[in-house]
Amino acid sequence: MLAKRIIPCLDVKDGQTVKGTNFVNLRQAGDPVALGKAYSEQGADELVFLDITASYEGRKTFTEMVTHVAQEINIPFTVGGGINELKDVERLLYAGADKVSVNSAALRRPELIDEIARQFGSQVCVCAIDARLEKSSNSNMPWYCYLKGGRERTERQLFEWAHEVQERGAGEILFTSMNHDGTKNGYANEALRQLADTLSIPIIASGGAGCKEHFRDVFIDGHADAALAASVFHFGEIPIPELKDYLKKEGIVIRK
């Protein structure tokens, strides 16, 4: 079994790390450079840095901040937000990012995934999928994909889009359940398991972590390859070394 990964996520707005519930009601959580350094020292396996309003406001991710974060950490680092073309990818990789995360731009123009994979390799391309489970008049409960940081619904559905993303060459999928985001009630394990069992690329789970047991469950029940969380780390509710010790005792193969 490949070792599971623990990934703190730094959602950044106006230069500060923020965290909300169901993608709204944001509150500040600190300086992203300082947080990134602390997580690296605490044993996080990777970091994800998302400029959460870049797509909505039409801005580019803060390249300077990416450079500062990269100088302070020694673990792999993914950057997302406002990535629309290969020039954006090149700029962020040059600034120190190891991978880029695309979401809105890929939904608008799926060929972007092919281009990134072809130019820089599949390992560089993480496709983020923000989806919401919606009530339906029939028994089929569809997961609809959203863009612009959860502000705009598309007609694309989670599972068919995830398969297309894999076929186009993405190296990983970062799936955030908008229903679970910030609720601390656990991850969307049923949907995660369906993704993990039908795709061959790694699945990063996001949305819903509230206690150590949720991480155990997302690996055992959700079959996720990695678990991403924000507020439980940012506000000191779950120390990463303590979490890793717990998961090891639960029999989960985890990185040191």
Side-chain angles (χ1 to χ4, degrees):
M1 178 190 296
L2 288 175
K4 306 295 187 180
R5 292 170 284 155
I6 301 298
I7 306 177
C9 179
L10 297 96
D11 291 340
V12 175
K13 181 177 186 290
D14 302 325
Q16 287 291 310
T17 308
V18 296
K19 187 66 191 106
T21 302
N22 304 127
F23 280 46
V24 294
N25 301 322
L26 302 178
R27 58 176 173 151
Q28 290 198 359
D31 173 62
V33 178
L35 279 172
K37 182 178 181 180
Y39 291 141
S40 179
E41 292 171 347
Q42 289 169 23
D45 299 304
E46 297 184 18
L47 289 175
V48 170
F49 168 94
L50 300 174
D51 186 348
I52 61 170
T53 56
S55 295
Y56 177 59
E57 298 174 1
R59 294 182 290 105
K60 302 296 185 184
T61 303
F62 297 131
T63 309
E64 186 176 329
M65 186 180 297
V66 173
T67 300
H68 289 160
V69 172
Q71 290 169 345
E72 296 290 343
I73 68 173
N74 57 8
I75 55 177
F77 181 45
T78 301
V79 179
I83 297 171
N84 297 301
E85 55 187 350
L86 290 181
K87 286 182 181 178
D88 297 326
V89 179
E90 187 172 19
R91 172 170 49 85
L92 293 166
L93 294 178
Y94 185 77
D98 297 281
K99 310 174 192 176
V100 297
S101 171
V102 292
N103 186 347
S104 298
L107 279 164
R108 292 193 198 97
R109 192 174 70 84
E111 295 79 16
L112 179 63
I113 298 171
D114 304 72
E115 293 166 5
I116 295 172
R118 190 162 52 242
Q119 182 77 14
F120 302 104
S122 289
Q123 78 282 354
V124 164
C125 185
V126 178
C127 188
I129 302 178
D130 299 334
R132 185 189 296 277
L133 182 63
E134 302 191 1
K135 292 181 180 178
S136 175
S137 57
N138 56 40
S139 59
N140 177 34
M141 297 272 283
W143 284 89
Y144 283 103
C145 300
Y146 280 68
L147 44 72
K148 293 185 179 179
R151 292 173 179 84
E152 187 176 309
R153 198 189 94 167
T154 72
E155 290 306 306
R156 301 302 300 263
Q157 293 192 21
L158 170 63
F159 300 108
E160 58 93 5
W161 174 233
H163 279 81
E164 180 175 338
V165 161
Q166 174 176 277
E167 291 303 308
R168 288 184 177 276
E172 291 181 286
I173 287 175
L174 168 54
F175 164 53
T176 300
S177 165
M178 295 175 63
N179 306 75
H180 295 72
D181 177 66
T183 64
K184 299 186 179 180
N185 291 325
Y187 292 92
N189 290 328
E190 187 175 334
L192 284 160
R193 184 168 61 249
Q194 186 172 340
L195 287 170
D197 291 354
T198 57
L199 298 173
S200 59
I201 59 176
I203 305 298
I204 304 168
S206 171
C211 62
K212 289 178 284 189
E213 289 78 10
H214 292 156
F215 289 87
R216 176 198 64 198
D217 295 345
V218 81
F219 292 134
I220 294 175
D221 300 333
H223 299 178
D225 297 277
L228 179 145
S231 60
V232 293
F233 297 143
H234 299 338
F235 302 114
E237 296 164 36
I238 303 178
I240 292 174
E242 187 179 301
L243 173 61
K244 287 195 163 188
D245 286 343
Y246 165 80
L247 292 171
K248 288 173 185 174
K249 289 174 183 174
E250 292 292 315
I252 294 166
V253 179
I254 204 83
R255 294 185 185 181
K256 294 182 180 179

